[in-house]
């Protein structure tokens, strides 16, 4: 009896070992900021098996590119003025202004959307990228932002080609509001050292607790000024 039970256990163990393993992709939604401003895509960036992927159409349209999709070749062509980018589903190679760039992972389709690896932003778009694993937050900085859809209300965006985006909002304190206008104008006109001095002066008069919106704006634009100065 014991011998029969042992034989059955061996047979069952053999079936278990022979059963093919199915790899399940672990996905997690990710938040994203561009130049300190939260951005919303129809489909959020995703962490798939430990790799960060960004929705290609959402990212490129946010940066001002016109998108063309060829269903037959599964290829995206993005054009902005004299700049062009080509991505093909299943390929690690992307073409940016005629130059081929190899990514760490192929362009892929997930949830009926096309995703590209986060290193595309660094290698293909010359963006600076930071990743906060605890907050699941991807932050990128670009010098070529034309238009961004942001969350929240009461915010106004000022952006132009080849300059870093900055946020403007109306402060409750009239004096601070005038200082913000002056600092933002200096930043827009590329008077970076003077803008930094103005923002520092504003920070001496507000706090993150009493003036969270103004404080956030000043810190974001101050960071932009320092980045452009570097």
């Amino acid at each position: 009896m014991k011998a029969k039970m042992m034989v059955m256990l061996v047979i069952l163990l053999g079936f278990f070992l022979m059963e093919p393993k199915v790899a399940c992709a672990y996905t997690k939604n990710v938040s994203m900021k561009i130049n300190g401003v939260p951005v919303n895509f129809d489909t959020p960036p995703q962490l798939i098996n430990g790799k960060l992927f960004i929705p290609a159409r959402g990212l490129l349209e946010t940066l001002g590119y016109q998108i063309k999709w060829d269903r037959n070749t599964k290829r995206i062509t993005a054009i902005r003025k004299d700049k062009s980018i080509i991505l093909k589903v299943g390929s690690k190679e992307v073409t940016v202004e005629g130059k081929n760039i190899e990514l760490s992972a192929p362009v892929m389709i997930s949830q009926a959307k096309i995703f590209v690896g986060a290193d595309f932003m660094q290698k293909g778009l010359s963006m600076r990228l930071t990743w906060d694993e605890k907050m699941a937050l991807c932050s990128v900085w670009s010098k070529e932002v034309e238009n961004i859809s942001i969350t929240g209300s009461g915010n106004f965006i000022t952006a132009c080609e080849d300059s870093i985006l900055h946020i403007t909002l109306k402060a409750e304190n009239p004096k601070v509001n005038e200082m913000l206008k002056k600092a933002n104008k200096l930043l827009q006109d590329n008077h970076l050292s003077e803008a930094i001095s103005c923002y520092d002066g504003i920070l001496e008069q507000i706090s993150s607790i009493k003036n969270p919106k103004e404080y956030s704006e000043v810190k974001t634009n101050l960071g932009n000024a320092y980045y452009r100065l570097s």
Side-chain angles (χ1 to χ4, degrees), residues 28-66:
K28 181 180 180 180
N29 289 345
V30 173
S31 300
M32 188 170 179
K33 290 184 178 181
I34 298 180
N35 294 349
V37 180
V39 293
N40 284 330
F41 301 130
D42 290 340
T43 303
Q46 294 183 6
L47 198 63
I48 303 176
N49 291 333
K51 285 185 175 292
L52 180 60
F53 287 85
I54 312 297
R57 176 182 286 274
L59 173 66
L60 292 169
E61 286 183 343
T62 295
L63 297 177
Y65 286 86
Q66 298 293 320

Side-chain angles (χ1 to χ4, degrees), residues 128-167:
R128 183 162 56 91
L129 183 150
T130 60
W131 167 244
D132 186 331
E133 185 173 1
K134 185 177 179 180
M135 299 294 292
L137 173 64
C138 173
S139 298
V140 294
W141 297 86
S142 170
K143 291 187 177 181
E144 296 187 355
V145 177
E146 290 191 341
N147 181 35
I148 286 185
S149 300
I150 66 170
T151 58
S153 61
N155 289 328
F156 298 88
I157 295 300
T158 301
C160 55
E161 188 166 355
D162 299 325
S163 68
I164 290 181
L165 170 147
H166 62 273
I167 318 171

Side-chain angles (χ1 to χ4, degrees), residues 74-110:
K74 294 184 178 180
R75 186 172 71 173
I76 282 182
T77 301
I79 298 174
R80 191 183 72 186
K81 295 184 178 179
D82 59 341
K83 298 181 180 181
S84 65
I85 296 172
I86 298 174
L87 304 95
K88 187 175 181 179
V89 174
S91 175
K92 290 184 178 181
E93 195 173 83
V94 300
T95 304
V96 180
E97 298 186 54
K99 295 177 61 177
N100 293 330
I101 299 171
E102 186 169 335
L103 305 179
S104 61
V107 179
M108 61 177 289
I109 295 178
S110 176

Side-chain angles (χ1 to χ4, degrees), residues 117-215:
D119 57 337
F120 166 69
M121 295 187 290
Q122 297 168 303
K123 297 177 180 178
L125 300 174
S126 300
M127 288 178 159
R128 183 162 56 91
L129 183 150
T130 60
W131 167 244
D132 186 331
E133 185 173 1
K134 185 177 179 180
M135 299 294 292
L137 173 64
C138 173
S139 298
V140 294
W141 297 86
S142 170
K143 291 187 177 181
E144 296 187 355
V145 177
E146 290 191 341
N147 181 35
I148 286 185
S149 300
I150 66 170
T151 58
S153 61
N155 289 328
F156 298 88
I157 295 300
T158 301
C160 55
E161 188 166 355
D162 299 325
S163 68
I164 290 181
L165 170 147
H166 62 273
I167 318 171
T168 61
L169 56 80
K170 187 175 181 179
E172 294 179 1
N173 186 314
K175 182 179 179 181
V176 172
N177 189 42
E178 289 302 315
M179 294 176 70
L180 276 171
K181 284 182 179 179
K182 180 181 177 181
N184 291 337
K185 184 65 167 59
L186 289 168
L187 179 61
Q188 186 176 358
D189 293 342
N190 213 35
H191 300 303
L192 303 179
S193 297
E194 294 173 337
I196 289 170
S197 179
C198 281
Y199 287 130
D200 285 337
I202 296 170
L203 288 175
E204 292 176 359
Q205 300 188 41
I206 63 176
S207 72
S208 59
I209 297 175
K210 293 182 179 180
N211 317 92
K213 291 183 178 180
E214 293 88 346
Y215 188 86

